């Protein structure tokens, strides 16, 4: 219906369409149900689709996130970025040359950082490291290319990759070390509120 109305008014060619999701859903994978519990891909990996003028068709292999939506939309509209907003401008990646953003949150265009409660994860094109700040156990490492369901923990076998990705996590934590405890408290309060509403089990 929306497309029909836009087409009737001759606005389809001037409209940017964005399709996104805020979270995935777990159905027993990694011993979780629903969402907002961990940073496994079943709960955090979602589609992000841009279509419209100046955007070439096709999939992109680069890591991006929902935080990139606002700065990218402003860029596509020819508007300046908001100084306080997180995320990257992906206009060049969406164009015909598919040029990746200069860098990600951690100084590397491949790095994607995720948060959920006490959970933290960082992934590049192949590996993903998960850590729970409230648990003293070792981090978990997965080869998300060979093992997209994140079933085989390679932390003991791939110590070099663990060390590399841990440096990225520490760098990110260092930028926000003063707020880590506050963020954890806020996450717990938000989870309690959602649970009281029946949104979380």
């Amino acid at each position: 219906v929306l497309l029909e109305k836009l087409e009737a008014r001759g606005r389809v060619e001037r409209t940017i369409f964005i399709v996104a999701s805020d979270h995935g859903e777990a159905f027993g994978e990694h011993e979780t149900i629903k969402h907002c519990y961990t940073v496994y891909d079943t709960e955090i990996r979602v589609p992000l689709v841009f279509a419209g003028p100046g955007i070439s068709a096709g999939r992109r292999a680069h890591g991006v996130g929902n935080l990139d939506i606002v700065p990218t939309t402003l860029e596509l509209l020819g508007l300046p970025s908001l100084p306080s907003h997180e995320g990257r401008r992906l206009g060049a990646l969406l164009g015909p040359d598919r040029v990746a953003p200069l860098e990600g949150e951690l100084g590397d265009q491949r790095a994607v950082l995720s948060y959920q409660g006490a959970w933290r994860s960082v992934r590049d094109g192949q590996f993903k490291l998960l850590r729970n700040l409230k648990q003293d156990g070792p981090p978990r490492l997965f080869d998300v290319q060979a093992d997209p369901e994140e079933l085989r923990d390679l932390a003991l076998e791939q110590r070099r990759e663990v060390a590399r990705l841990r440096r990225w996590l520490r760098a990110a934590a260092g930028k926000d070390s003063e707020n880590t405890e506050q963020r954890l408290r806020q996450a717990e309060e938000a989870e309690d509120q959602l649970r009281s509403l029946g949104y979380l089990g």
Side-chain angles (χ1 to χ4, degrees):
V1 175
L2 174 62
L3 283 173
E4 291 175 358
K5 290 186 178 295
L6 289 171
E7 200 164 35
R9 291 173 171 80
R11 295 182 178 175
V12 171
E13 291 76 14
R14 297 189 293 123
T15 301
I16 297 170
F17 297 91
I18 303 169
V19 178
S21 175
D22 58 344
H23 59 74
E25 202 76 17
F27 294 94
E29 302 92 341
H30 308 288
E31 301 180 359
T32 58
I33 299 289
K34 298 184 179 180
H35 55 267
C36 297
Y37 291 107
T38 74
V39 286
Y40 285 102
D41 276 5
T42 49
E43 296 180 54
I44 68 167
R45 192 171 187 194
V46 295
L48 178 57
V49 180
F50 287 87
I55 300 172
S56 61
R59 295 186 65 173
R60 310 297 192 269
H62 302 279
V64 299
N66 283 349
L67 287 176
D68 301 326
I69 293 175
V70 170
T72 300
T73 303
L74 292 173
E75 180 185 17
L76 293 172
L77 293 173
L79 299 173
S81 294
L82 302 174
S84 61
H85 201 278
E86 299 178 74
R88 294 169 292 170
R89 296 157 65 94
L90 305 176
L93 181 61
L94 299 174
D97 295 331
R98 303 189 181 190
V99 179
L102 289 177
E103 63 178 38
E105 298 174 69
L106 307 177
D108 188 295
Q109 66 186 30
R110 301 166 300 165
V112 178
L113 189 67
S114 299
Y115 298 85
Q116 178 57 58
W119 283 94
R120 301 289 183 269
S121 76
V122 62
R123 72 184 294 160
D124 62 10
Q126 180 176 2
F127 291 100
K128 178 179 173 184
L129 186 79
L130 290 80
R131 181 165 180 246
N132 190 314
L133 300 181
K134 288 191 170 182
Q135 296 176 358
D136 294 330
R140 305 170 194 178
L141 179 75
F142 300 96
D143 181 340
V144 290
Q145 288 184 353
D147 177 26
E149 295 182 5
E150 298 167 292
L151 298 176
R152 186 177 175 216
D153 185 356
L154 301 175
L156 294 178
E157 301 174 30
Q158 298 282 352
R159 295 178 187 272
R160 184 174 297 177
E161 295 299 334
V162 169
R164 179 175 64 86
L165 293 175
R166 284 191 82 162
R167 284 195 295 272
W168 278 353
L169 271 184
R170 279 196 294 269
K175 293 179 183 178
D176 197 33
S177 57
E178 294 180 2
N179 296 323
T180 299
E181 289 299 323
Q182 180 182 353
R183 281 193 175 190
L184 288 175
R185 285 195 301 271
Q186 290 173 342
E188 289 174 352
E189 291 170 4
E191 288 177 8
D192 289 341
Q193 291 173 354
L194 291 172
R195 196 169 286 109
S196 69
L197 296 171
Y199 190 67
L200 294 179

